[in-house]
Amino acid sequence: SVEILIALVVLLNSLLVALSTLDSLSPFMPMIRGAEVIVSTIFCVDFAARWFSSNRDTGKFVLDPLFALDVLVVIIPLIVTV
């Protein structure tokens, strides 16, 4: 299901962040950064799909604390990276 796929992407992102801290992998840094952008894009698509499928008229989605967390952790870093 989608939840399992997103959980796997979260694990992949954690691995990529850990790998990006190793100096010995500096030759692979462009590939790691590219993979991080792809993962962030997947998170953004998931975020947009959840927002689109929510009842946007009530604004409850925007008031949800997880909305702010998604914006801070996924959307802003992707914008800064690209």
Side-chain angles (χ1 to χ4, degrees):
S1 73
V2 175
E3 291 85 11
I4 293 172
L5 177 64
I6 295 300
L8 291 173
V9 172
V10 168
L11 290 174
L12 174 63
N13 190 51
S14 300
L15 176 66
L16 290 170
V17 169
L19 291 176
S20 69
T21 64
L22 299 174
D23 291 334
S24 61
L25 294 179
S26 62
F28 301 104
M29 208 51 63
M31 289 182 357
I32 292 172
R33 296 288 182 221
E36 286 177 348
V37 169
I38 291 170
V39 167
S40 294
T41 304
I42 291 170
F43 286 149
C44 284
V45 168
D46 175 61
F47 174 79
R50 286 187 291 120
W51 189 8
F52 183 75
S53 66
S54 72
N55 188 357
R56 292 182 306 270
D57 295 335
T58 63
K60 288 182 182 177
F61 187 77
V62 177
L63 298 176
D64 184 6
L66 291 176
F67 175 84
L69 183 66
D70 282 343
V71 170
L72 290 173
V73 174
V74 176
I75 308 299
I76 292 174
L78 180 64
I79 292 170
V80 171
T81 302
V82 177

